[in-house]
Amino acid sequence: MALESGLLLLILSILFVGARTQPSQFGEIPLGSQLSPISETRSWLSPSGHFAFGFFSQGNGFAVGIWMVGQPNNTVVWTANRDEEPVSFGATIHLSEEGKLFLRTEQGNENLIANVSEVADSASMLDSGNLVLYNGSSVIWQSFDHPTDTILVGQNLTFNDKLVSSVSSSNHSSGRFLLPMQRDGNLVAYPKKSACLSVDAYWASNTYQYDKKVLSLYLNNQGSLLMDTVSTKPVLLARSSYYCNNKTTIFRATLDADGIFRLYSHCLENKTSWIVHIEWSALNDQCNVLGFCDFNSYCTGKGTNADCSCYPGFAFNDPSERFSGCYKNVTESFCTGATDEGEMYDVITMENISFERYSYSVLDTKKENCGLSCLEDCLCDVALYINEKCEKYTAPIRYGKRDINASSTAFFKVQTTPAAPPMGQTVITESKKSLIVFLAIAFGAVTFLCFVIAISTFCVYRDRTFLYEKLSGIISLAGDFTLRSFSYSELEKATGGFGEELGRGSIGAVYKGTIPGGDRIVAVKRLEKVLDEGEKKFRAEITVIGQTYHRNLVRLLGFCVENSRRLLSRGHLAPEWQNNASVSVKADIYSFGVVLLEIICCRSSVEVDVSAPDEMNLSSWAYQCFASGQLDKLVKDEDVEFESLERMVKIGLLCVQHDPALRPLIKNVILMVEGSKDIPTPPSIAPFIISA
Ligand SMILES: *[C@@H]1O[C@H](CO)[C@@H](O)[C@H](O)[C@H]1NC(C)=O
Ligand SMILES: *[C@@H]1O[C@H](CO)[C@@H](O)[C@H](O)[C@H]1NC(C)=O
Ligand SMILES: *[C@@H]1O[C@H](CO)[C@@H](O)[C@H](O)[C@H]1NC(C)=O
Ligand SMILES: *[C@@H]1O[C@H](CO)[C@@H](O)[C@H](O)[C@H]1NC(C)=O
Ligand SMILES: *[C@@H]1O[C@H](CO)[C@@H](O)[C@H](O)[C@H]1NC(C)=O
Ligand SMILES: *[C@@H]1O[C@H](CO)[C@@H](O)[C@H](O)[C@H]1NC(C)=O
Ligand SMILES: *[C@@H]1O[C@H](CO)[C@@H](O)[C@H](O)[C@H]1NC(C)=O
Ligand SMILES: *[C@@H]1O[C@H](CO)[C@@H](O)[C@H](O)[C@H]1NC(C)=O
Ligand SMILES: *[C@@H]1O[C@H](CO)[C@@H](O)[C@H](O)[C@H]1NC(C)=O
Ligand SMILES: *[C@@H]1O[C@H](CO)[C@@H](O)[C@H](O)[C@H]1NC(C)=O
């Protein structure tokens, strides 16, 4: 009995709230209103009834946002705190008497929807789809200033704003693609899992604004997508052409979950039903969206009808989400030297494949030898024969697609078990051969890759978007050089008597210099360990390394052989250098870690002039700050993205472990930096012992 009357009371009170809180005919929402997903008032409507703000279903619960009301489906145009978990039916939205707009979860937590310190004296859900809070006549907050994946008529995307696609049409959390309005005036689309460099861009408006005046992207009420420039006329990006028979039309531009930026018109058929048209698409071919198929997979299909497949030797990370990329489905004993006699490697060929082409090695060889060369090279996962050259690559490989216009042949190295190879593909079997030369290249390449990754990581973490413009300039600088032999005195002069040491690798120090006769800045490496190979071998190696080029590697310009001096390709040294333990590739990982921490903290690895003795050694101090949760002590700049800072510090700390076995492989470091591998919590680093 008591329960029943309690329920009745609840229902009555919900009805009462519902009656009290409908917006007025001007869309004004009275202070003291509230919404609940289980009451009649799940949302506040705009005066036309075409837009609503409130709870919508997501997953097993509810999210908060703004949508276009209608059949066949509501179209969500804005989501509040989109990356929070959906809430349950016990949650409520409040526009409190005090003028705060917030969500109260069932557990009683209050999350601000309008995150402003000022309080509102009124609020409205407008017919444009904009939810606005006012103090008097001034706007203190509006949803239009916080776009998610869509802009509507009257909304501006100005520099530093960006659209981020949704996960899917039914999950409005942040998805896989970004469309930032860059400071250079260019609107550019990138996969989120990238450094947002020019090589990662798959669409751009090409509206540069060299004088850096304020620019904005907007939609006018005729459905034209325009870029507003201060000095010149607006630039037209796209126009709507659908004739809607003089009926109510709503336009929107959305970065869809598939990564394609589209302009839509919604034409009102009758009271509740809309006809939706795609007026314009930035791209017509889904496979041209870089990163649509994640690492180690490739895109096939035409138009918007695309699918992802794994390369031979790889398997889906998540077979239910085919775009989620693939992992290498082999045990890798080949490179570690622990070769099992029973293991065999084959090459599977595929034609018309294209992917991001930054090979670690390019060989001038016949097509027949290309696969074989990959088979013999421990680092090689795939070789691509294209333009009569054989290019070799190490996984992960990204931005892959099948392209009938790509006259390429790819050779994938796969591990064979006694099982039969996949049907319908050509298989070439060859035995493995000696790898010494290739390992030598690999060693050098990995070292330099480390340093460059450290620098690019820093840049990404500082300012992702601004780089687009700068990098496009640098890439075009690559010049063509033939190998040149230098004399010792020439190099001595070039480096100013080996004055400025840049760093130290496993076999010698690197000095900064300038080549005589040109203004090209070079790095000169002086080999300090006696190499026991003969001179012939040294020259052979140089020739091979000279043929190697990679955008992340320093290009070999020349060399010097004179008596015992061989020149090429402290603080950063791994502890094993000091205690005469065996020195491995892992020593370079240590150096990478130190450089990474130095870049993050903007200081040198050992500094005497510090406020506390604990701070003298950077790696142990960084560990202390990490362990005590005080990473902010490491950076002077307060305007850092904390999540990235923590990730980078963790990677740095993993690399500077005293025990080489605890340091990650460079491959894993790359995956961690890219965000495709979880970063384990670094083990502790003992305070540095300064030996006498
Ligand atoms: C939406 O997608 C995100 C990211 O993939 C996921 O973490 C979240 O659980 C999804 N939410 C729902 C309701 O499915
Ligand atoms: C409407 O929503 C349903 C369920 O989420 C979905 O299956 C359907 O494709 C949607 N229709 C349109 C036109 O978006
Ligand atoms: C509100 O904004 C402040 C400053 O911009 C930010 O530090 C804070 O995390 C935000 N709070 C929420 C709940 O988003
Ligand atoms: C509204 O703005 C005025 C002028 O800026 C300010 O004095 C007043 O405190 C504000 N009211 C509220 C409720 O924040
Ligand atoms: C967008 O920009 C135009 C022109 O600068 C301005 O009139 C309008 O108020 C802006 N809209 C919003 C929502 O800020
Ligand atoms: C469109 O509608 C408006 C007002 O509803 C009317 O004045 C105008 O004549 C109509 N135009 C056409 C082409 O029907
Ligand atoms: C509105 O239009 C749709 C599609 O044309 C139709 O299915 C529906 O019955 C119409 N509704 C009304 C109330 O006319
Ligand atoms: C991965 O490799 C294992 C053993 O080599 C094999 O049993 C399994 O079927 C492979 N998975 C795929 C998806 O190829
Ligand atoms: C291949 O090239 C032709 C001619 O340049 C072009 O029309 C076609 O769209 C291209 N196909 C693809 C898949 O890129
Ligand atoms: C790529 O595909 C086209 C047409 O499908 C074919 O003619 C061509 O030989 C292929 N190119 C290579 C290098 O395999």
Side-chain angles (χ1 to χ4, degrees):
M1 229 23 211
L3 186 69
E4 270 172 35
S5 53
L7 270 180
L8 192 67
L9 208 71
L10 183 72
I11 290 165
L12 281 176
S13 70
I14 288 172
L15 287 178
F16 174 72
V17 168
R20 233 185 94 208
T21 63
Q22 263 313 320
S24 71
Q25 57 174 321
F26 304 109
E28 193 178 313
I29 304 156
L31 295 184
S33 302
Q34 75 174 58
L35 297 171
S36 150
I38 47 166
S39 75
E40 295 258 307
T41 46
R42 284 172 68 153
S43 64
W44 290 312
L45 291 174
S46 73
S48 66
H50 296 328
F51 283 97
F53 165 80
F55 289 103
F56 62 87
S57 306
Q58 173 153 303
N60 298 324
F62 301 90
V64 175
I66 297 172
W67 62 90
M68 285 170 62
V69 179
Q71 305 296 327
N73 282 356
N74 290 335
T75 304
V76 174
V77 295
W78 181 76
T79 312
N81 303 322
R82 66 197 302 207
D83 292 318
E84 305 265 305
E85 290 284 304
V87 292
S88 62
F89 59 82
T92 45
I93 294 172
H94 297 260
L95 177 62
S96 68
E97 298 284 358
E98 296 76 39
K100 293 258 174 210
L101 180 63
F102 61 87
L103 169 75
R104 180 180 287 145
T105 64
E106 198 177 31
Q107 292 77 30
N109 298 330
E110 290 184 2
N111 301 333
L112 285 177
I113 293 170
N115 185 6
V116 276
S117 52
E118 275 181 278
V119 294
D121 61 13
S122 68
S124 290
M125 180 66 233
L126 303 179
D127 276 338
S128 58
N130 194 7
L131 176 70
V132 191
L133 303 186
Y134 302 94
N135 170 11
S137 61
S138 64
V139 172
I140 59 169
W141 182 90
Q142 54 183 342
S143 60
F144 270 18
D145 288 340
H146 306 272
T148 52
D149 62 351
T150 297
I151 63 166
L152 294 166
V153 173
Q155 191 168 4
N156 305 319
L157 199 70
T158 53
F159 78 90
N160 280 345
D161 286 344
K162 59 174 181 266
L163 299 184
V164 178
S165 66
S166 294
V167 170
S168 67
S169 58
S170 56
N171 181 343
H172 295 274
S173 297
S174 304
R176 303 193 291 135
F177 303 96
L178 305 174
L179 186 73
M181 180 72 211
Q182 298 187 160
R183 260 184 272 183
D184 62 6
N186 204 355
L187 182 73
V188 187
Y190 302 102
K192 192 159 85 180
K193 207 177 183 183
S194 78
C196 297
L197 305 179
S198 57
V199 294
D200 304 305
Y202 59 85
W203 179 80
S205 64
N206 293 319
T207 45
Y208 293 99
Q209 182 78 354
Y210 292 104
D211 54 9
K212 301 283 185 296
K213 294 267 172 55
V214 178
L215 251 158
S216 68
L217 175 80
Y218 66 97
L219 256 178
N220 72 10
N221 49 18
Q222 269 83 51
S224 294
L225 193 60
L226 296 152
M227 187 77 83
D228 201 10
T229 60
V230 171
S231 41
T232 55
K233 276 199 318 187
V235 178
L236 181 74
L237 291 182
R239 192 202 303 272
S240 298
S241 55
Y242 182 65
Y243 173 62
C244 189
N245 206 14
N246 209 11
K247 290 175 179 161
T248 303
T249 311
I250 293 175
F251 297 100
R252 69 180 166 100
T254 303
L255 180 65
D256 283 323
D258 60 12
I260 299 179
F261 188 43
R262 294 189 180 89
L263 174 61
Y264 290 88
S265 66
H266 293 240
C267 175
L268 190 66
E269 263 300 286
N270 55 37
K271 214 166 170 352
T272 55
S273 205
W274 300 86
I275 293 188
V276 185
H277 269 263
I278 298 173
E279 298 286 348
W280 170 81
S281 285
L283 293 170
N284 294 317
D285 272 318
Q286 184 64 65
C287 286
N288 289 337
V289 173
L290 296 183
F292 177 70
C293 296
D294 216 320
F295 293 103
N296 305 323
S297 62
Y298 63 99
C299 184
T300 53
K302 273 205 141 129
T304 51
N305 195 5
D307 187 25
C308 302
S309 311
C310 291
Y311 292 120
F314 293 83
F316 281 114
N317 287 323
D318 178 355
S320 68
E321 289 192 330
R322 293 174 66 92
F323 58 76
S324 66
C326 307
Y327 66 96
K328 204 169 160 185
N329 190 18
V330 290
T331 51
E332 293 184 70
S333 51
F334 197 30
C335 268
T336 57
T339 315
D340 174 352
E341 283 306 311
E343 278 170 19
M344 291 291 285
Y345 291 86
D346 286 347
V347 163
I348 294 183
T349 56
M350 283 177 80
E351 294 202 331
N352 300 83
I353 287 286
S354 78
F355 46 74
E356 188 189 29
R357 282 176 53 207
Y358 286 105
S359 54
Y360 69 86
S361 169
V362 179
L363 306 175
D364 237 328
T365 181
K366 289 214 181 66
K367 187 169 168 179
E368 301 83 81
N369 298 334
C370 191
L372 187 59
S373 153
C374 185
L375 208 52
E376 289 174 342
D377 178 348
C378 145
L379 277 184
C380 181
D381 290 310
V382 52
L384 190 72
Y385 190 77
I386 187 162
N387 302 331
E388 298 177 2
K389 292 233 167 22
C390 179
E391 305 177 346
K392 294 198 281 185
Y393 300 84
T394 304
I397 315 157
R398 59 178 183 172
Y399 304 159
K401 61 176 176 179
R402 171 167 270 151
D403 179 354
I404 53 155
N405 288 349
S407 43
S408 66
T409 306
F411 301 89
F412 290 88
K413 184 160 75 186
V414 296
Q415 197 178 33
T416 50
T417 43
M423 301 286 286
Q425 275 159 329
T426 327
V427 178
I428 306 161
T429 312
E430 279 294 334
S431 64
K432 297 164 286 192
K433 288 186 182 172
S434 150
L435 296 166
I436 293 164
V437 174
F438 291 101
L439 281 172
I441 303 172
F443 193 80
V446 165
T447 313
F448 272 105
L449 200 56
C450 289
F451 280 86
V452 175
I453 286 168
I455 287 158
S456 56
T457 303
F458 167 71
C459 297
V460 170
Y461 146 79
R462 273 295 158 98
D463 189 347
R464 294 179 136 220
T465 50
F466 196 45
L467 278 170
Y468 177 79
E469 182 191 3
K470 282 192 288 190
L471 265 283
S472 37
I474 295 170
I475 287 162
S476 63
L477 281 179
D480 241 4
F481 274 80
T482 44
L483 280 194
R484 191 182 143 188
S485 168
F486 292 95
S487 72
Y488 185 79
S489 61
E490 255 180 312
L491 290 181
E492 194 166 13
K493 211 156 110 198
T495 55
F498 300 104
E500 194 176 338
E501 184 175 316
L502 293 175
R504 192 165 269 272
S506 47
I507 45 174
V510 180
Y511 301 89
K512 184 176 171 175
T514 321
I515 296 187
D519 50 359
R520 184 166 277 251
I521 295 175
V522 295
V524 175
K525 182 160 189 171
R526 178 155 67 174
L527 308 182
E528 289 167 356
K529 279 188 156 181
V530 180
L531 296 176
D532 44 20
E533 295 97 328
E535 176 163 333
K536 207 167 153 193
K537 186 128 188 197
F538 176 75
R539 282 186 186 272
E541 266 190 42
I542 290 299
T543 313
V544 179
I545 297 171
Q547 287 171 358
T548 305
Y549 51 89
H550 186 286
R551 66 166 164 163
N552 288 346
L553 299 183
V554 178
R555 183 81 194 274
L556 181 71
L557 300 182
F559 60 96
C560 159
V561 183
E562 234 178 87
N563 305 325
S564 62
R565 298 152 172 167
R566 283 183 194 162
L567 306 193
L568 279 177
S569 46
R570 271 211 245 206
H572 301 129
L573 286 192
E576 56 264 33
W577 283 99
Q578 281 145 13
N579 49 27
N580 278 335
S582 73
V583 176
S584 68
V585 193
K586 292 282 185 96
D588 289 323
I589 307 279
Y590 183 93
S591 305
F592 168 71
V594 174
V595 172
L596 182 59
L597 290 175
E598 286 185 339
I599 289 172
I600 293 168
C601 308
C602 283
R603 54 159 278 190
S604 139
S605 63
V606 180
E607 226 165 69
V608 183
D609 195 14
V610 285
S611 46
D614 280 356
E615 296 179 19
M616 272 171 64
N617 179 262
L618 180 58
S619 33
S620 62
W621 185 52
Y623 183 78
Q624 284 175 33
C625 293
F626 169 75
S628 60
Q630 295 175 298
L631 286 181
D632 49 323
K633 283 177 154 182
L634 289 173
V635 284
K636 294 182 185 77
D637 184 357
E638 288 176 3
D639 199 24
V640 298
E641 207 187 301
F642 219 76
E643 213 178 299
S644 313
L645 174 66
E646 186 180 54
R647 280 162 39 92
M648 293 305 153
V649 171
K650 277 164 80 176
I651 296 171
L653 291 174
L654 284 169
C655 294
V656 298
Q657 291 297 317
H658 289 198
D659 180 0
L662 293 178
R663 295 173 207 153
L665 293 170
I666 188 61
K667 194 172 93 174
N668 293 335
V669 173
I670 293 170
L671 293 176
M672 287 184 230
V673 169
E674 279 168 353
S676 38
K677 189 175 168 63
D678 288 340
I679 304 168
T681 304
S684 76
I685 290 172
F688 202 64
I689 299 145
I690 300 166
S691 50

